[in-house]
Amino acid sequence: MKEKVTRVIFFIIFFIGLAMVFLISEFNKYTQSYFYQNNILEEQFIQIQGNELRLKHEILMSGLYLYANNDIVAKDIKKLKEAIQTMLNNRYIKNQYPEVLDNLLGYSKYIDRKIKKIYEFQIVNSAIKNTTINLSNLLNKLPKMNSEGIVGVSGDTKIKKYKYANKVVSIISSIFLSKNTFDMDFIQKLDIEYFNNINFKQKKFKEFNFILLVNLKTFKRLFPRYIKLLKDIISRDKKWDIEGIKNSHTGNIVRNLKIIKKVSYALIGFVIFTILATIFFILLLREDNKKLNSLARELYKRNVTDRLTGLYNMNKYDKDIGKVDDPILFIVNIDKFKNINSYFGTKIGDKLLVDVSKILKKIVHNNKSAKFYRFGADEFGILYTRKECAKPLEVADKIAEYFDGNDIAIDGIDFRISVSVGISHISPYFEKAGIALKYVKDSNRLKYFVYDKSIDNENIIKGNLQKTKILYEAINSHRVIAYFQPIVDKNGKIVKYEMLSRLKRDDGKIESIYPYLGIAKENKLYSKITKIVVKEAYRVLSSDMSIYINMNLSTEDMTDERVVALIERFLLKDEKIAKRVTFEILESEAIDDYSSVEYFIGKVKEANAKIAIDDFGSGYSNFSYLMKLNIDFVKIDGSIIKNITKDNNALKIVELLQKFAQDSGIKTVAEFVENEEIYMKLKDIGIDLYQGYYFYEPLPRPIKI
Amino acid sequence: MVYKIFFLICIPYFLLALSPVSPLDKYEDINKEKAKIGKMLFNDTILSKDKKISCSSCHKPTHYYSDDKKFSIGVYGKKDTVNTPTVLNAIYNFRQFWNGRAKDIDTQLTMTFHNKIEMDMDDMTLKNRISKNEFYSKLIKKAYKVDKIDVKYIKDAIKTYIKTLVTPDSKFDRFLTGKEKLDSDEKRGYYLFKKFGCIVCHNGKNIGGNSYQKMGIIIPVKNCYDDLYAITHLKEDKCVYKVPTLRNIQKTAPYFHDGRAKTLKEAIKIMGYNNLGIFIDKKDIESIEQFLKTLTGKIR
């Protein structure tokens, strides 16, 4: 459940993360261009503002100063128009702030109207300036005119006779006053009519008056317009004000900044969330880690502990043995523990093991460094340093004595067990202690033994391996061969051959298969040898119809399906061959494995082949058994035959056996006939067939008759 | 000592700054290749519909790039309606044409080309003519690094040439920069020019050409046409014209939009009466004329 949740959270974070990375890059681009563009906008606004102000300033100056350079006004107009156009061309405004663009368009048109007014103003201003100059020039001329007698003369009696000069001065001063005050009141009451109605006769005066009149009229006509235009130009329009537009745009910026703020908050929030999620995951990991650690500890414990007894096991031993300084190992084995398990059940057996482990601990308790192990089903190990165990034999004795002398009570039953102890302080400790233990087990009286070189079966083991190798190779390269030892009748005539396995060494030497049989049985090579002999027997029998053979069989052979099938196929199927075959079976083996032997013998008899019991007389000598099996021959054990000339008992036995056999219709064969004396004796007794070195040694092939 | 020199250098410039009339800049850096093409085009009749008229037909180089006739003759012998103004220093005018309907030279060229009584050309014909002309098309392609002729290159070449038609270094310019002295009559003329108020309209680099003014503002004139009113149709724009330049004025008779004044003295008299509201006596007119003669510059 937790994993699912974790996975879901992980994927959520992953995809949000991707989205965020994308968002951040977009946001970055956006804010960059935002600030950059708005910077430009800011500049452009300021530029327009500045230019507008400059223009207004220049107009004022041209109003103020008599000498003005109109180039400047023309340039300022051009600059202002360019600045506005630049801003109108700004794509960013078009895309982002269309209302600002609309405002700018309106403002542009307003400026166009203003420029028109400026042009008009320039025209009016020139006239005002010029008339002002002229009037002041006239004023300059006036004293001269006056001295020449310019007096106001009028035909109209209604007009009062004022001195002309006074009138001129008064009206011109009004003009100047109005110009300086920008106040129209001073020109409202100008008495231009007076000058209109004056009629001079002298050309000079006429001219003077004419010029005065024309300038006065022009001034009066144009002055109101002059004032209005100037005011309009200088004033700030409520609606079309670049600063107002700029301020409203600032409002937009502030709004957009809010968005930027919100997004950056979101990003910060995401970062915080990521950090928290990371912490959450780390904590989860820690928990998992803890669990893992405890699990690992648990596993380790189980790995090195024997569950039943709680002692350490072999794994731990392997680790410990390397760490202990100058160690000594005891292996304590419970004798015949298998029996206890099979008689009383594994439950009792287990409880016993537990008790034994406790007892061992108790016995050795004073040795603090001692480590206890359970090596196998019934095997315990005690390991400690030699320093702490000065007298190992004492310890072993204590252990053995305890079990010998004490019962162990389990479920109300008292058990008395005995132990065997193998000890080693030579590396490899376990193997050598094991050898010591085997030595103890093999011996009848020893309870414990400390390993020394003398008991080492290392060489024996080496020898075993070697033998196996030799046998294996020999079988594979067809160097396991059959020899034939002739069996003769009373008169020494060869009747049949016993087939004996031989091994041909690399160097050509022939040796008996006997030393290898033990190994062969261990390695299941035994049947291979038998098969070789069977095939060889078949070959010989089919090549010469006069030959009779004996071959040895063990219960291993008789219980091996494939061997039996082989024998059937080669030696029993064909009647002509089967009647010339006799199978020799060891007495001891026949008795031990009666049922399989019986079955095989049945088959043999069916095929008309014969059975002989080998080594008869030395073992159990079970006569009733013999009868049941319905055998054909009995081969009296060589050890008895050997002694018939020396030992009277042996002679008696042979006589007895011969009688019995004769009465039962069984033929007798004497093995190991070594000399003539024995032969004669045996002949006297009436033995049927004879085999031994006195007659023939085993031969590589049957003799051609 | 250092301060003395400093002030000696500064004061003329300071006074210069105060002066309402300023000298012309030194020669500007012009692309000579393009100017050459422009010059050839300026004098080439290929640019008119009937192939009989070139720019120089009306803006005669011998007459300081204006016409000595009252009204020039355009294509198919059509008579123009206004007196041809000079091209010299036209680059410094704040607008082009008598009523300032063209805001710059480019617009002016376009309008002149399209004017039925002047060149009577449309863009397509113009482009084709020049494209087919091997001589011009090769030059233009090389100078402008293009492989197709467009009208804008033709106009740009002419404009570049017009930029070269400036006349700095007149006697008055040299006076303003302190390099030469005016004689007493010329000085008096300048003084009167200021005193009477001529300078109120005729000021700046071009001694005019930088504002609209009404002809006959004080005492009205008759027969105003092709004025600002012709464009705006506003009553107050009647007889409003762009102030013409007074540079080289001595050489560009006749004067006013209809060429009504044949001599400079006449022009001065009319201006004084109608625009200033004064009678300028003979002696003063002569002095002013002498002053105006100092405004004649050197053609490159």
Side-chain angles (χ1 to χ4, degrees):
Chain A
M1 177 60 202
K2 195 158 70 169
E3 206 198 290
K4 211 177 179 189
V5 169
T6 312
R7 205 184 293 179
V8 168
I9 293 180
F10 173 74
F11 274 116
I12 290 175
I13 291 183
F14 182 70
F15 283 113
I16 293 182
L18 273 181
M20 279 294 168
V21 168
F22 175 73
L23 235 164
I24 287 171
S25 77
E26 285 303 307
F27 181 66
N28 194 34
K29 270 195 257 166
Y30 173 76
T31 46
Q32 261 191 13
S33 85
Y34 175 84
F35 286 114
Y36 174 72
Q37 292 292 348
N38 278 302
N39 233 24
I40 292 177
L41 280 188
E42 187 83 8
E43 274 174 29
Q44 285 175 341
F45 272 124
I46 291 173
Q47 185 84 331
I48 294 174
Q49 251 183 300
N51 286 352
E52 199 189 336
L53 280 171
R54 252 190 294 277
L55 185 59
K56 285 185 186 171
H57 168 260
E58 205 50 46
I59 296 297
L60 258 178
M61 297 290 270
S62 73
L64 212 60
Y65 288 91
L66 193 58
Y67 296 153
N69 189 337
N70 293 340
D71 284 348
I72 301 175
V73 171
K75 199 163 64 166
D76 284 346
I77 289 174
K78 192 165 169 216
K79 275 211 181 127
L80 177 59
K81 288 216 58 123
E82 276 171 3
I84 295 173
Q85 193 56 45
T86 307
M87 200 161 188
L88 284 173
N89 290 342
N90 187 327
R91 276 228 210 99
Y92 185 71
I93 301 179
K94 207 203 286 187
N95 295 336
Q96 299 293 333
Y97 306 109
E99 18 24 288
V100 171
L101 190 71
D102 282 341
N103 284 341
L104 279 173
L105 280 168
Y107 173 77
S108 175
K109 290 197 185 108
Y110 159 75
I111 289 296
D112 284 341
R113 291 194 294 272
K114 197 161 231 176
I115 290 169
K116 184 85 181 62
K117 287 196 181 144
I118 289 172
Y119 288 154
E120 215 193 308
F121 173 79
Q122 282 180 318
I123 298 170
V124 167
N125 190 25
S126 316
I128 294 289
K129 279 191 204 171
N130 286 336
T131 52
T132 317
I133 294 172
N134 294 338
L135 290 173
S136 81
N137 283 341
L138 287 177
L139 210 54
N140 226 12
K141 274 196 187 158
L142 192 60
K144 189 166 174 239
M145 295 275 119
N146 208 25
S147 66
E148 289 172 0
I150 190 167
V151 181
V153 171
S154 174
D156 197 335
T157 47
K158 280 194 199 147
I159 297 168
K160 287 192 180 159
K161 263 196 201 172
Y162 287 103
K163 266 213 149 168
Y164 182 75
N166 293 354
K167 279 298 240 195
V168 170
V169 171
S170 137
I171 202 167
I172 292 179
S173 52
S174 298
I175 298 278
F176 283 158
L177 212 60
S178 68
K179 174 128 199 303
N180 285 343
T181 58
F182 279 75
D183 196 338
M184 290 222 286
D185 287 347
F186 296 107
I187 61 164
Q188 305 291 33
K189 294 188 238 145
L190 287 179
D191 190 9
I192 295 183
E193 271 307 297
Y194 172 86
F195 296 95
N196 226 1
N197 297 335
I198 295 255
N199 245 321
F200 284 114
K201 293 218 174 68
Q202 275 190 350
K203 183 175 175 232
K204 230 187 339 191
F205 298 156
K206 231 191 176 104
E207 228 179 69
F208 185 90
N209 193 47
F210 172 76
I211 295 200
L212 179 67
L213 204 54
V214 119
N215 280 289
L216 287 172
K217 279 188 188 161
T218 309
F219 188 92
K220 184 171 176 186
R221 188 185 78 220
L222 294 177
F223 191 66
R225 190 96 192 107
Y226 173 78
I227 294 176
K228 178 144 197 316
L229 282 168
L230 193 60
K231 202 154 114 196
D232 282 348
I233 291 165
I234 304 299
S235 74
R236 261 168 77 162
D237 190 85
K238 281 213 178 74
K239 188 167 175 207
W240 299 117
D241 180 28
I242 192 70
E243 194 163 326
I245 297 172
K246 182 167 160 239
N247 287 341
S248 80
H249 171 63
T250 308
N252 288 341
I253 294 175
V254 170
R255 243 175 283 129
N256 281 355
L257 271 175
K258 285 213 182 102
I259 295 173
I260 292 176
K261 234 206 276 183
K262 284 197 185 122
V263 174
S264 29
Y265 282 157
L267 286 173
I268 292 172
F270 176 71
V271 169
I272 292 174
F273 169 70
T274 316
I275 292 173
L276 288 174
T278 313
I279 293 174
F280 169 71
F281 280 126
I282 290 175
L283 288 175
L284 270 182
L285 269 172
R286 280 239 319 247
E287 236 185 77
D288 282 344
N289 231 27
K290 269 196 223 154
K291 284 202 192 135
L292 274 171
N293 279 344
S294 74
L295 198 70
R297 274 197 297 272
E298 179 72 26
L299 275 172
Y300 176 75
K301 220 169 98 185
R302 287 210 197 168
N303 192 33
V304 298
T305 309
D306 170 56
R307 222 152 49 110
L308 178 65
T309 59
L311 301 179
Y312 289 130
N313 61 16
M314 196 68 197
N315 292 338
K316 186 73 164 61
Y317 167 79
D318 286 335
K319 290 194 179 94
D320 290 343
I321 192 64
K323 292 187 198 146
V324 179
D325 212 24
D326 199 16
I328 181 162
L329 175 68
F330 291 71
I331 299 182
V332 179
N333 181 285
I334 302 175
D335 298 334
K336 296 214 179 74
F337 181 71
K338 216 163 49 164
N339 290 348
I340 296 176
N341 253 355
S342 51
Y343 280 126
F344 299 104
T346 48
K347 264 218 186 102
I348 300 286
D350 284 350
K351 284 193 184 163
L352 182 69
L353 290 170
V354 172
D355 283 352
V356 167
S357 66
K358 287 196 191 139
I359 290 164
L360 284 175
K361 277 196 175 161
K362 210 168 59 175
I363 295 171
V364 189
H365 74 91
N366 56 327
N367 274 320
K368 301 267 165 55
S369 72
K371 292 187 171 46
F372 296 87
Y373 306 86
R374 183 173 166 205
F375 285 140
D378 55 353
E379 232 163 57
F380 295 88
I382 308 173
L383 175 73
Y384 37 165
T385 55
R386 263 237 270 189
K387 260 195 296 186
E388 299 213 357
C389 178
K391 303 197 183 132
L393 290 177
E394 251 184 51
V395 175
D397 194 59
K398 236 166 80 174
I399 295 170
E401 281 292 309
Y402 180 89
F403 287 107
D404 277 345
N406 289 295
D407 289 332
I408 300 170
I410 296 168
D411 286 356
I413 309 171
D414 286 337
F415 288 90
R416 180 70 64 92
I417 59 164
S418 65
V419 298
S420 305
V421 185
I423 307 159
S424 172
H425 49 74
I426 299 171
S427 174
Y429 305 93
F430 186 79
E431 285 72 15
K432 297 226 162 34
I435 292 169
L437 181 66
K438 184 169 187 294
Y439 189 73
V440 168
K441 289 252 184 215
D442 284 346
S443 96
N444 289 325
R445 11 163 235 103
L446 283 178
K447 294 214 184 291
Y448 48 82
F449 192 78
V450 178
Y451 170 88
D452 63 65
K453 261 216 180 109
S454 66
I455 61 160
D456 204 317
N457 61 352
E458 210 179 85
N459 293 330
I460 298 171
I461 291 168
K462 263 202 203 140
N464 286 345
L465 283 168
Q466 214 174 5
K467 277 210 201 117
T468 310
K469 210 166 150 212
I470 293 168
L471 180 62
Y472 196 74
E473 277 172 23
I475 291 174
N476 283 343
S477 44
H478 307 290
R479 284 186 283 111
V480 171
I481 52 177
Y483 263 44
F484 301 84
Q485 188 174 33
I487 300 174
V488 302
D489 62 12
K490 291 195 229 252
N491 302 318
K493 185 169 145 223
I494 295 175
V495 173
K496 50 169 84 169
Y497 298 88
E498 185 185 343
M499 288 180 74
L500 302 163
S501 310
R502 288 284 186 272
L503 193 143
K504 193 178 191 178
R505 296 293 291 264
D506 292 336
D507 49 10
K509 254 188 18 200
I510 307 290
E511 63 178 358
S512 166
I513 201 83
Y514 185 72
Y516 297 89
L517 284 179
I519 301 296
K521 284 206 184 127
E522 290 299 316
N523 286 356
K524 308 273 187 269
L525 292 173
Y526 196 86
S527 59
K528 279 203 186 171
I529 300 171
T530 311
K531 282 182 191 170
I532 293 169
V533 174
V534 166
K535 285 188 188 157
E536 181 63 15
Y538 173 74
R539 192 187 64 78
V540 165
L541 287 168
S542 32
S543 69
D544 190 340
M545 291 303 194
S546 64
I547 294 177
Y548 282 68
I549 59 111
N550 274 24
M551 74 171 277
N552 287 291
L553 278 186
S554 71
T555 39
E556 248 106 10
D557 298 320
M558 287 186 269
T559 52
D560 188 334
E561 266 176 23
R562 279 180 287 195
V563 171
V564 170
L566 199 76
I567 291 171
E568 274 185 302
R569 183 167 150 220
F570 283 103
L571 301 178
L572 299 180
K573 221 174 21 185
D574 190 351
E575 209 195 323
K576 284 199 252 162
I577 289 179
K579 67 179 184 189
R580 291 181 282 139
V581 176
T582 305
F583 293 97
E584 292 187 20
I585 304 167
L586 278 179
E587 183 187 12
S588 50
E589 285 197 354
I591 292 168
D592 281 342
D593 218 330
Y594 182 73
S595 48
S596 348
V597 167
E598 198 188 17
Y599 174 72
F600 178 73
I601 290 173
K603 274 201 172 309
V604 165
K605 289 255 109 177
E606 218 184 289
N608 265 331
K610 301 195 173 52
I611 298 287
I613 295 290
D614 204 358
D615 290 354
F616 193 79
S618 64
Y620 300 118
S621 301
N622 195 326
F623 290 94
S624 62
Y625 200 55
L626 282 177
M627 303 308 291
K628 262 205 250 174
L629 285 175
N630 197 12
I631 52 167
D632 304 288
F633 294 93
V634 144
K635 289 183 95 177
I636 300 171
D637 189 53
S639 58
I640 304 172
I641 302 293
K642 261 205 270 198
N643 289 329
I644 54 166
T645 48
K646 297 181 207 151
D647 189 351
N648 214 21
N649 289 333
L651 183 63
K652 279 199 189 139
I653 290 168
V654 174
E655 282 173 349
L656 194 64
L657 283 172
Q658 173 59 34
K659 185 136 189 349
F660 165 71
Q662 209 164 327
D663 287 345
S664 312
I666 300 169
K667 294 253 166 61
T668 51
V669 184
E671 296 181 314
F672 283 87
V673 180
E674 286 178 346
N675 52 43
E676 195 180 358
E677 218 188 320
I678 294 171
Y679 170 48
M680 286 300 139
K681 251 302 167 3
L682 291 168
K683 208 168 165 188
D684 280 341
I685 294 169
I687 300 293
D688 298 303
L689 297 170
Y690 303 81
Q691 182 181 355
Y693 276 40
Y694 175 69
F695 296 101
Y696 294 99
E697 283 176 8
L699 307 165
R701 61 195 77 78
I703 298 173
K704 283 271 181 223
I705 304 171
Chain B
M1 182 62 185
V2 176
Y3 288 124
K4 270 199 206 155
I5 297 173
F6 181 71
F7 280 123
L8 272 172
I9 297 170
C10 280
I11 283 172
Y13 285 108
F14 182 62
L15 291 173
L16 207 62
L18 288 181
S19 165
V21 179
S22 38
L24 280 182
D25 309 322
K26 293 213 174 77
Y27 295 112
E28 231 185 278
D29 255 326
I30 304 281
N31 184 321
K32 292 206 173 86
E33 208 183 334
K34 294 179 184 172
K36 273 202 189 116
I37 301 172
K39 181 169 182 174
M40 288 187 271
L41 286 169
F42 189 86
N43 294 300
D44 202 324
T45 54
I46 194 177
L47 295 180
S48 62
K49 188 98 175 257
D50 62 353
K51 294 196 189 162
K52 290 212 178 104
I53 302 294
S54 68
C55 307
S56 55
S57 308
C58 306
H59 297 280
K60 295 178 178 140
T62 48
H63 199 68
Y64 277 70
Y65 292 86
S66 73
D67 206 341
D68 49 357
K69 293 204 205 40
K70 250 199 210 180
F71 300 114
S72 311
I73 307 293
V75 289
Y76 302 112
K78 293 187 184 160
K79 207 169 176 190
D80 213 321
T81 50
V82 285
N83 180 258
T84 304
T86 178
V87 181
L88 293 172
N89 308 310
I91 202 84
Y92 297 122
N93 290 337
F94 86 133
R95 294 182 82 93
Q96 308 295 334
F97 295 119
W98 274 102
N99 54 15
R101 61 180 181 276
K103 71 175 181 5
D104 52 27
I105 295 284
D106 292 280
T107 322
Q108 176 267 315
L109 287 170
T110 311
M111 286 176 167
T112 303
F113 277 128
H114 295 168
N115 193 332
K116 291 225 183 302
I117 59 171
E118 290 174 353
M119 306 299 255
D120 194 11
M121 286 286 268
D122 57 288
D123 283 355
M124 191 54 85
T125 322
L126 188 59
K127 191 169 85 171
N128 287 341
R129 277 219 199 143
I130 298 296
S131 302
K132 287 194 189 116
N133 184 306
E134 242 186 77
F135 176 71
Y136 280 125
S137 69
K138 196 163 72 171
L139 282 176
I140 290 175
K141 283 176 188 172
K142 182 164 172 275
Y144 287 90
K145 297 186 179 78
V146 291
D147 36 44
K148 252 186 94 180
I149 302 295
D150 191 79
V151 178
K152 67 181 178 204
Y153 304 125
I154 302 168
K155 287 188 194 156
D156 187 78
I158 299 176
K159 181 166 140 199
T160 314
Y161 174 58
I162 290 175
K163 279 190 187 167
T164 69
L165 296 176
V166 291
T167 63
D169 222 22
S170 67
K171 184 169 182 187
F172 192 69
D173 291 324
R174 291 198 297 279
F175 161 72
L176 285 175
T177 52
K179 290 187 189 136
E180 201 170 320
K181 283 204 172 86
L182 298 175
D183 63 37
S184 58
D185 215 5
E186 290 161 349
K187 231 194 259 177
R188 186 162 177 270
Y190 182 47
Y191 166 74
L192 292 173
F193 189 80
K194 286 192 281 186
K195 181 171 163 215
F196 293 147
C198 314
I199 201 151
V200 170
C201 303
H202 292 279
N203 56 43
K205 241 194 315 210
N206 233 1
I207 311 154
N210 55 13
S211 66
Y212 285 113
Q213 297 295 344
K214 186 164 177 161
M215 186 162 173
I217 179 80
I218 299 189
I219 296 171
V221 297
K222 295 199 187 91
N223 293 329
C224 296
Y225 48 82
D226 270 351
D227 50 7
L228 196 58
Y229 175 80
I231 302 170
T232 65
H233 300 289
L234 295 170
K235 195 178 70 183
E236 58 261 29
D237 289 337
K238 204 82 186 88
C239 297
V240 170
Y241 293 100
K242 175 184 100 244
V243 175
T245 174
L246 292 184
R247 287 191 177 272
N248 308 305
I249 197 69
Q250 163 195 32
K251 308 279 185 183
T252 58
Y255 305 108
F256 302 119
H257 63 280
D258 52 3
R260 60 176 69 177
K262 288 193 192 69
T263 64
L264 201 48
K265 287 195 176 75
E266 239 180 284
I268 295 169
K269 187 165 171 211
I270 292 173
M271 279 281 104
Y273 181 70
N274 293 96
N275 270 34
L276 301 176
I278 48 170
F279 295 108
I280 309 179
D281 66 31
K282 204 160 131 215
K283 193 157 176 274
D284 291 342
I285 289 176
E286 266 170 25
S287 299
I288 292 172
E289 193 190 24
Q290 288 302 96
F291 161 67
L292 290 176
K293 282 184 184 169
T294 68
L295 299 176
T296 307
K298 300 194 184 86
I299 305 174
R300 253 218 272 214

